[in-house]
């Protein structure tokens, strides 16, 4: 607006006052001035803009009121009244003001602004006048006059500052509204908002100011919302200068830009329409700290509850997601933390976040992996639907993280989800089903080696899966249905957990028993052994040992503490009593002055593991009631997600497991009555479990529960005679365990069974054989004599030496248990009966063990077909080979029989681990491992695992290596914990397996050509398979010990065939390969070894000459080079002068003869692989199996043609369609095919006698390798003289039968 020309006051400068108002000058008092001004204010208040006469009349007064006298008057009331008058003057004279001087106008508005500070005190008597002043200014928009002033910005800044400073919570809505109107009109009607004015608004949004004056923040927030269209440009300009151009000096608020953006976005996202692209630019800054600040800001913007920024600005969202992969660790960490809020507030963005969280769940930084878990779990705890299966899968993976902190967070997070949604069903069955895998996964972790993991699983089980704080009935219901829903591995883990806890209770019980004995050195040594074992079952074994020693000392001094601990581990201790004992023991060990007590924490760990917080007599009774309800059909089985049959079976299995760990809790008539009902059920598994529970817990039945006894005996007799094999076994053991007159009871079973044996009905033979075998093992003195007759006349003569039925000729090497013929199942049980009979006798006075070992060896030599009539199918032969190998291994566990097992029989047994059938190798290896890890088998059997290096299946080799690691660790730990074990060093020290391994490899049937590289390579691989594990650490100079041991073997001769020059040479060659491997893998092996290794005389004999010294090197330099690098030594340039040249690009094919080790993994009657598929059959001997196990044991395995397509093996042959399997047998490991046994002499001479050195009759097939090809020798085998071979086989069978019958008699 334009200012008018200076108006002259009416009456030539004379001032007219309203009627009744005298002249106002500086000559009168302030009170009088106030009195007269009030009348002036009243006059102006009553005037309106249409009163032209009055306006002209009082123009002089208006100019007078703007004089310095009034504007600078020290009296507050005067200034207020003048300000009110001036405000009315601007209203009356609008749109033209009576003041023409710019300076005067500035002074007036600054004066009025200063008076507005009076609004602060709402209780002031003058507040209404201040409110009138504000209302008048806002209504008239008086400040808009200032737009024409050059320095109007100063006025506006002062006004805004004043209003923001005076507003408070005592102001009503009208005051706030007028302030808003006044400020918004200035912003919206002006030409723009300067940076200084913008700062006066934005400063109220900064957190520090926001917290000081909430009303100012609300005022600024409302102002920005109202003026968003006008002020957005100014805001964008401010952020552009600070963020993009880096001009931080433009404003004092530059350092608060990110806080301001967050607040502005919360107020109205439209305020930042032009700012968001600038943030995308900042996200790509080279400064990590700057990126971090932007990420923190955007995390708040994207994660805000009602934010739609991610959908409205996809480019910025994608750029932000890219920061999940930022190189700066704090940036990645901030992104992961943001994900939690984002998942909770924006479930629709979960898909975008999933892939980035997946990458971060594998982040190298522990803190980031940890926070990924926290993010997902927090979202899941709020609502399970917020996290998809993929996100939960990330947490599942991290339960196996290398860092304990991450693993713990993942496990605890999953446990919390399980308790909330599966146990308490807070989100219904659908959610519970979604995470039903958690229970299995958590228990699977118990398989980990770390004791911390095991302890946490136990804690989770006790607090989250089956909370011990629940009432007994509710607690057992949780356990009952949890056990029914677990997978097989989780069940095993839970059983192992109870077993470990029970073992630890036993150790503590033994420790307390030692405290009752007089002090002695032996007692102290034994006590230390117990303490070390207990410490191993606690975290941080080093500290645990010290704390356990201290705890043991406290136990010795405090008898009351010992009593409490004895009560805690007592078999009769109830769960409630256990809690009281733990609390009392903890109280006794608490020291109030210590803020942290690591000793007490360690003792708590021990108490938590040994305290029976779940199982007692009351709990077992509750479980039995649940089982009865399931049997009666009145339980909630279907609602809990299990069928009644599953609930019954798993319930019995649960009780069976608990019968091992808490047998005393079962002793009640009610419990046994329920178990008797289970014995009468049709489900075989249920009845078997019930018998086993009786066996484990029924020691007092005969003396205290006569009625149960009288009902149980006939049932056990019936199960032993006509039950399943497993039931029969358990029934016999149950009778032996719980009845005093067991001899009479067993005789009543033995006699009718022994008379009813009939080999013509094998289906009815299996259970009697099981019962007879276990009876003879449990009561050898009573039944040894009648058993010998049964063994000689029936087991060997009628059953094992006769094949009554023709097997299924489907060519498969293995079939399911249901497909095995009853006759073969009976033969397998007959072999087991022989072993049990011998294990019961535990002596070889009658030489029965020698005869049995010869029989088992013959079974292996004949590949399972003992009669060699070819009536048995290949799958049945596999079963019998496995049974024979397992039987020898079982007999070897008894010292009296181990001593009579010859090296040849040991080798035959060991070679089963390289059987052509995958399942035979697998099951045999598992049995071998279990016996070794329990220290039941002699050390020499550990050497058998070296042969697994030849297994074509990668998984089998990996399993064998794990078995080796476990067995070696167990033996080393046993020696550490048992000082007396050093006296048996030769039988325990893992390094002493090397002589057995060398001897075994020297007699490997594949080792027929000692100087052939491929065979030496196989020997090297087998040696390194074992030595790699042994040489992991050079403890006590073990590498030098190994070297010296092998060197000593070279100075002996083979005890198995001491006069055989070739056999001894093979032994020395294996020694040289072993020395070569040791020297190449260790730099410490050449050190001096003070210990002189002891060699087993059963395998090695001293040389006849005392001065014998074998310093010959049996490996040529070229062979060593090839063993080291796999390539021959490069030929010198001059050495190639007379070599024939080859045409470039053309392959030179040479005829090679493949060694016996290159056998197929198919059946022995499989067709040969196509020669076109062979590139280097020997070099492929160790190639991983690419086919499935089913194909491995198939008659016609799948091969691939040149195009890489799978075709049946016959399709890759050039053989005619009618070619029979008899004409092209796959070469077996260690012995030629039967059809080739009578090959022409000329052919044998042509092959250089290789077959003759193969150890014919060794009976072991090589593990089938689907990538290996048959040798050239087997292709050229001639099938002449087959009839002569058949006659010889028949004659051999008759001789073998006669020999075995004589040996058994």
């Amino acid at each position: 607006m334009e200012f008018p020309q200076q108006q002259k006051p009416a009456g030539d400068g004379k001032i007219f006052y309203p009627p009744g108002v005298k002249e106002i000058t500086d000559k009168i008092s302030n009170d009088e001035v106030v009195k007269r001004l009030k009348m002036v204010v009243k006059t102006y208040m009553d005037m309106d803009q249409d009163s032209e006469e009055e306006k002209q009349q009082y123009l002089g007064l208006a100019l007078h009121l703007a004089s310095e006298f009034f504007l600078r008057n020290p009296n507050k009331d005067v200034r207020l009244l003048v300000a009110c008058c001036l405000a009315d003057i601007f209203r009356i004279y609008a749109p033209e003001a009576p003041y023409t001087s710019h300076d005067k106008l500035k002074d007036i508005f600054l004066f009025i602004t200063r008076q507005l500070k009076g609004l602060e005190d709402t209780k002031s008597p003058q507040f209404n006048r201040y409110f009138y002043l504000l209302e008048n200014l806002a209504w008239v928009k008086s400040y808009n006059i200032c737009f024409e002033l050059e320095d109007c910005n100063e006025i506006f800044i002062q006004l805004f500052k004043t209003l923001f400073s005076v507003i408070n919570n005592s102001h009503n809505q009208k005051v706030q509204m007028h302030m808003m109107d006044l400020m918004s009109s200035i912003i919206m009607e002006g030409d723009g908002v300067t940076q200084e004015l913008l700062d006066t608004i934005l400063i109220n949004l900064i957190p520090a100011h926001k917290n000081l004056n909430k009303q100012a923040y609300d005022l600024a927030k409302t102002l920005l919302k109202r003026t968003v269209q006008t002020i957005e440009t100014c805001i964008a300009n401010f952020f552009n200068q600070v963020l993009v151009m880096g001009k931080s000096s433009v404003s004092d608020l530059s350092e608060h830009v990110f806080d301001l953006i967050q607040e502005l976005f919360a107020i109205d996202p439209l305020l930042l329409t032009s700012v968001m692209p600038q943030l995308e630019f900042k996200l790509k800054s080279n400064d990590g700290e700057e990126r971090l600040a932007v990420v923190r800001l955007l995390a708040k913007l994207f994660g805000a509850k009602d934010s739609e920024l991610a959908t409205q600005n996809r480019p910025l969202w994608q750029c932000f997601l890219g920061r999940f992969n930022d190189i700066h660790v704090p940036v990645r960490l901030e992104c992961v933390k943001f994900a939690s809020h984002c998942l909770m507030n924006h479930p629709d963005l979960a898909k975008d976040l999933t892939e980035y969280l997946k990458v971060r769940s594998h982040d190298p930084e522990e803190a980031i992996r940890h926070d990924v878990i926290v993010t997902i779990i927090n979202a899941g705890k709020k609502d399970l639907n917020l996290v998809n299966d993929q996100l939960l899968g990330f947490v599942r993976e991290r339960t196996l993280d290398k860092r304990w902190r991450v693993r713990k967070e993942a496990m605890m997070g999953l446990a919390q989800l399980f308790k909330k949604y599966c146990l308490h069903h807070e989100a219904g069955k659908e959610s519970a089903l979604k995470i039903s895998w958690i229970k299995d996964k958590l228990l699977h972790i118990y398989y980990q080696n770390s004791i911390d993991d095991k302890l946490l699983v136990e804690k989770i089980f006790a607090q989250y899966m089956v909370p011990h704080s629940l009432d007994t009935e509710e607690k057992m219901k949780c356990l009952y249905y949890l056990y029914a829903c677990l997978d097989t591995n989780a069940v095993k883990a839970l059983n192992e957990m109870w077993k470990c806890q029970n073992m630890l209770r036993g150790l503590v019980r033994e420790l307390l028993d030692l405290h009752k004995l007089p002090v002695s050195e032996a007692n102290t040594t034994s006590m230390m052994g117990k303490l070390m074992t207990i410490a191993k079952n606690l975290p941080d074994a080093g500290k645990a040992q010290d704390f356990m020693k201290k705890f043991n000392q406290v136990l010795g001094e405090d008898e009351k503490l010992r009593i409490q601990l004895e009560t805690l581990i007592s078999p009769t201790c109830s769960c409630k009593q256990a809690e009281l004992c733990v609390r009392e023991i903890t109280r006794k060990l608490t020291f109030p002055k210590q803020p942290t007590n690591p000793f007490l924490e360690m003792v708590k760990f021990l108490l938590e593991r040994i305290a029976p917080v779940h199982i007692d007599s009351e709990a077992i009774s509750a479980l039995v009631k649940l089982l009865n309800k399931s049997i009666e059909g009145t339980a909630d089985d279907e609602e809990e997600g299990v069928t009644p049959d599953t609930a019954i079976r798993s319930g019995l299995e649960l009780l069976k497991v608990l019968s091992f760990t808490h047998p005393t809790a079962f002793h009640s008539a009610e419990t046994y009555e329920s178990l008797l009902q289970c014995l009468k059920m049709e489900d075989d598994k249920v009845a078997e479990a019930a018998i086993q529970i009786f066996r484990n817990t029924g020691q007092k039945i005969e003396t205290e529960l006569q009625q149960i006894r009288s009902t149980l005996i006939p049932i056990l007799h019936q199960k032993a005679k006509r039950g399943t094999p497993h039931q029969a076994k358990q029934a016999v053991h149950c009778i032996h365990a719980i009845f005093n007159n067991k001899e009479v009871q067993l005789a009543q079973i033995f006699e009718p069974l022994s008379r009813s044996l009939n080999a013509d009905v094998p289906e009815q033979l299996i259970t009697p054989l099981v019962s007879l075998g276990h009876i003879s093992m449990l009561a050898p003195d009573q039944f040894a004599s009648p058993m010998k007759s049964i063994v000689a006349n029936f087991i060997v003569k009628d059953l094992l030496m006769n094949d009554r039925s023709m097997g299924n000729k489907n060519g498969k090497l293995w079939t399911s248990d249901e497909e095995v013929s009853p006759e073969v199942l009976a033969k397998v049980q007959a072999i087991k009966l022989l072993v049990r009979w011998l294990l019961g006798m535990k002596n070889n006075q009658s030489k029965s063990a020698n005869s049995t070992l010869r029989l088992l060896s013959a079974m292996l030599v004949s590949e399972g077909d003992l009669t060699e009539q070819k009536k048995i199918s290949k799958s049945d032969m596999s079963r019998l080979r496995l049974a024979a190998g397992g039987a020898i291994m079982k007999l070897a566990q008894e010292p009296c029989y181990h001593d009579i097992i010859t090296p040849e029989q040991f080798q035959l047994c060991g070679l089963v681990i390289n059987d052509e059938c995958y399942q035979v190798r697998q099951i045999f290896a598992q049995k071998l491992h279990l016996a070794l890890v329990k220290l039941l088998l002699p050390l020499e059997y550990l050497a058998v695992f070296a042969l697994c290096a030849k297994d074509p299946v990668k998984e089998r080799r990996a399993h064998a290596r794990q078995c080796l690691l476990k067995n070696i660790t167990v033996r080393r730990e046993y020696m550490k914990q048992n000082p007396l074990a050093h006296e048996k060093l030769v039988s325990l020290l893992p390094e002493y397996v090397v002589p057995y391994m060398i001897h075994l490899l020297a007699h490997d049937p594949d080792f027929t050509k000692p100087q052939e590289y491929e065979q030496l390579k196989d020997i090297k691989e087998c040696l390194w398979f074992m030595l790699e594990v042994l040489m992991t650490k050079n403890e006590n100079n073990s590498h030098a010990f190994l070297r010296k041991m092998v060197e000593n073997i070279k100075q002996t001769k083979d005890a198995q065939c001491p006069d055989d020059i070739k056999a001894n040479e093979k032994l020395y060659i294996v020694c040289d390969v072993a020395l070569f491997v040791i020297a190449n893998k260790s730099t410490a092996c050449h050190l001096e070894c003070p210990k002189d290794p002891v060699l087993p005389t059963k395998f090695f004999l001293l040389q006849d000459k005392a001065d014998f010294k074998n310093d010959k090197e049996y490996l040529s330099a070229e062979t060593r080079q090839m063993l080291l690098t796999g390539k021959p030594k490069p030929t010198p340039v001059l050495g190639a002068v007379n070599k024939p040249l080859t045409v470039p690009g053309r392959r030179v094919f040479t005829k090679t003869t493949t060694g016996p080790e290159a056998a197929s993994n198919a059946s022995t009657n499989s067709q040969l692989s196509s020669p076109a598929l062979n590139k280097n059959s020997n070099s492929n001997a160790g190639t991983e199996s690419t086919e499935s196990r089913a194909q491995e044991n198939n008659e016609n395995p799948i091969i691939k043609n040149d195009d890489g397509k799978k075709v049946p093996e016959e399709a890759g042959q050039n053989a005619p369609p009618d070619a029979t399997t008899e004409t092209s047998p796959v070469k077996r490991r260690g012995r030629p095919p039967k059809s080739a046994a009578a090959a022409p002499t000329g052919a044998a001479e042509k092959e250089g006698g290789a077959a003759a050195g193969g150890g014919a009759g060794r009976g072991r097939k090589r593990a089938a390798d689907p990538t290996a090809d048959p040798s050239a020798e087997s292709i050229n085998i001639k099938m002449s003289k087959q009839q002569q071979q058949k006659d010889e086989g028949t004659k051999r069978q008759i001789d073998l039968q006669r020999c075995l019958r004589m040996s058994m008699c």
Side-chain angles (χ1 to χ4, degrees), residues 255-272:
E255 60 185 26
H256 301 290
V257 284
F258 295 130
D259 291 329
L260 290 173
I261 290 174
Q262 181 186 349
E263 292 294 343
L264 290 171
F265 184 82
I267 292 168
D268 192 337
L270 293 176
L271 290 167
L272 299 173

Side-chain angles (χ1 to χ4, degrees), residues 768-1045:
L769 289 176
V770 172
S771 294
L772 291 174
H774 284 282
I775 289 172
S776 63
M777 182 173 67
L778 295 173
D781 297 336
Q782 185 179 355
F783 301 103
S785 179
M787 273 304 298
K788 185 172 183 180
S789 174
I790 293 173
V791 166
N793 298 323
F794 178 77
I795 299 298
V796 177
K797 180 180 178 181
D798 287 352
L799 187 56
L800 293 177
M801 297 303 299
N802 279 304
D803 294 333
R804 288 174 168 76
S805 60
M806 182 65 72
N808 184 5
K809 297 293 184 178
N810 59 7
K812 294 181 180 179
L813 294 177
W814 190 266
T815 54
S816 63
D817 293 347
E818 293 76 17
E819 296 179 70
V820 181
S821 67
E823 183 180 2
V824 170
L825 289 176
K827 288 186 176 184
V828 170
Q829 290 302 331
I831 292 172
K832 292 183 177 180
L833 181 145
L834 290 174
V835 174
R836 289 166 184 151
W837 170 52
L838 292 174
L839 290 177
M841 290 194 300
K842 293 185 180 179
N843 66 73
N844 191 34
Q845 294 174 358
S846 61
K847 303 297 181 182
S848 299
N850 297 87
S851 306
T852 302
L853 287 168
R854 287 198 296 271
L855 173 69
L856 297 173
S857 301
M859 184 77 74
L860 292 173
V861 168
S862 60
E863 299 173 4
D865 187 2
L866 191 59
T867 64
E868 296 190 342
Q869 295 177 1
K870 297 186 179 178
K871 288 184 178 182
I872 304 180
S873 67
K874 292 186 177 299
S875 58
D876 288 346
M877 289 167 64
S878 297
R879 296 270 179 173
L880 291 170
R881 291 197 303 275
L882 176 61
I888 295 176
M889 187 164 56
K890 194 75 175 176
L891 290 173
Q893 297 176 28
E894 189 61 46
C896 67
Y897 301 135
H898 166 250
D899 295 337
I900 64 171
I901 295 176
T902 65
E904 290 86 355
Q905 291 166 344
F906 161 66
Q907 290 152 16
L908 277 172
C909 175
L911 292 174
V912 176
I913 210 165
N914 278 157
D915 195 273
E916 66 177 343
C917 177
Y918 177 89
Q919 285 79 5
V920 172
R921 305 199 301 273
Q922 181 186 38
I923 298 170
F924 183 81
Q926 289 172 345
K927 289 185 175 182
L928 178 64
H929 169 64
L930 289 174
L932 283 168
V933 84
K934 295 176 182 177
L935 300 180
L936 298 175
L937 271 176
L939 183 62
E940 64 203 68
Y941 285 83
L942 186 62
V944 174
F945 277 119
L947 295 172
C948 290
K950 297 186 178 187
D951 201 301
V953 182
K954 183 179 180 180
E955 289 77 9
R956 298 291 342 122
R957 298 197 299 274
H959 175 262
R961 191 176 188 281
Q962 290 301 317
C963 291
L964 276 175
L965 281 168
K966 178 69 174 176
N967 277 288
I968 289 172
T969 303
V970 165
R971 289 175 182 272
R972 294 197 196 283
E973 288 297 324
Y974 180 81
M975 292 175 66
K976 286 180 183 177
Q977 296 174 22
N978 296 275
L980 300 177
H982 289 277
E983 298 175 4
K984 301 179 180 179
L985 200 64
V986 177
S987 61
L988 287 172
L989 187 67
E991 280 74 12
Y992 271 113
V993 76
V994 172
Y996 301 113
M997 173 178 62
I998 289 175
H999 191 273
L1000 182 62
L1001 293 175
H1003 289 271
D1004 188 343
D1006 285 347
F1007 194 34
T1008 57
K1009 298 179 181 179
Q1011 295 301 332
E1012 188 177 284
Y1013 166 69
E1014 291 298 336
Q1015 295 192 13
L1016 290 174
K1017 181 182 174 184
D1018 277 353
I1019 295 294
K1020 174 197 165 189
E1021 293 298 327
C1022 292
L1023 287 166
W1024 179 236
F1025 194 78
M1026 177 73 72
L1027 289 172
E1028 181 187 15
V1029 184
L1030 287 173
M1031 296 173 65
T1032 303
K1033 295 180 181 179
N1034 187 22
E1035 293 183 0
N1036 301 320
N1037 202 17
S1038 62
H1039 293 183
F1041 181 76
L1042 290 173
R1043 173 192 55 78
K1044 189 170 184 179
M1045 188 186 302

Side-chain angles (χ1 to χ4, degrees), residues 373 376-377 380 384 387-400 409-419 421-423 429-445 460 465 482 485-491:
I373 295 164
I376 297 171
I377 293 299
L384 193 60
V387 291
N388 53 42
D389 292 337
Q390 205 172 351
L391 290 172
L392 289 172
F394 303 157
V395 182
R396 181 177 186 160
E397 287 179 3
R398 290 306 96 206
T399 57
L400 300 177
E409 189 65 41
M411 292 162 66
M412 290 299 293
L414 291 177
Q416 290 163 9
L417 293 181
F418 178 83
K419 185 175 183 179
Y421 296 111
C422 294
L423 204 60
K429 288 187 177 180
E430 188 176 342
S431 294
L433 188 63
K434 179 180 177 180
I435 57 170
S436 60
W437 54 266
I438 288 180
K439 59 186 183 302
D440 298 314
K441 179 59 185 174
L442 289 173
L443 288 170
H444 290 170
I445 298 168
I460 286 172
M465 300 177 79
L482 174 72
C485 296
L486 293 175
D487 66 23
T488 305
N489 290 328
V491 168

Side-chain angles (χ1 to χ4, degrees), residues 226-237:
R226 181 180 291 189
T227 61
V228 60
Q229 298 295 334
T230 306
I231 206 169
E232 187 270 335
T233 307
C234 306
I235 290 173
N237 181 59

Side-chain angles (χ1 to χ4, degrees), residues 1037-1056:
N1037 202 17
S1038 62
H1039 293 183
F1041 181 76
L1042 290 173
R1043 173 192 55 78
K1044 189 170 184 179
M1045 188 186 302
V1046 180
E1047 288 176 347
N1048 286 2
I1049 294 174
K1050 278 189 71 174
Q1051 309 307 317
T1052 64
K1053 56 184 178 180
D1054 192 344
Q1056 187 171 332

Side-chain angles (χ1 to χ4, degrees), residues 1077-1224:
V1077 171
I1078 294 170
N1080 275 286
K1081 302 298 181 180
S1082 171
T1083 56
C1085 66
H1086 298 292
L1087 300 174
E1088 284 297 319
C1089 177
K1091 296 181 181 178
D1092 195 21
V1094 180
L1095 299 179
T1097 56
K1098 188 175 180 180
F1099 293 87
F1100 305 100
L1101 296 177
L1102 295 175
Q1103 294 288 349
D1104 298 331
K1105 298 180 180 179
D1107 58 346
F1108 177 84
K1109 185 176 182 182
N1110 184 5
D1111 53 4
K1112 177 182 176 181
E1113 292 191 3
Y1114 292 85
L1115 298 179
S1116 65
E1118 183 179 1
T1119 302
R1120 290 174 183 272
Q1121 176 70 18
M1122 291 186 70
L1123 287 175
L1124 183 62
T1125 64
K1127 300 177 182 178
K1129 189 175 181 180
T1131 307
V1133 176
L1134 294 177
V1137 171
N1138 296 320
K1139 299 289 181 183
L1141 297 176
T1142 58
V1143 180
R1146 182 177 177 184
R1147 288 183 58 189
V1148 178
F1149 290 90
T1150 58
K1151 184 176 180 180
T1152 58
T1153 302
T1154 311
E1157 72 281 359
S1160 171
N1161 194 31
S1163 158
T1164 55
N1165 290 333
S1166 299
Q1167 294 281 11
L1168 294 174
S1169 300
S1170 171
L1173 296 176
N1174 288 343
K1175 290 188 178 178
N1176 189 339
S1177 61
N1178 289 335
S1179 64
N1180 291 338
T1183 305
E1184 258 73 282
S1185 172
T1186 56
E1187 305 300 332
S1188 68
R1189 296 172 187 173
Q1191 291 170 348
E1192 178 188 345
N1193 294 330
N1194 202 318
E1195 179 72 14
N1196 298 314
I1198 299 300
I1199 61 176
K1200 292 184 179 179
N1201 61 14
D1202 292 335
D1203 295 329
K1205 297 180 180 179
K1206 291 186 178 181
V1207 295
E1209 192 170 4
E1210 289 86 355
Q1213 315 280 334
N1214 294 322
D1218 59 343
T1220 63
T1221 55
E1222 292 296 327
T1223 60
S1224 56

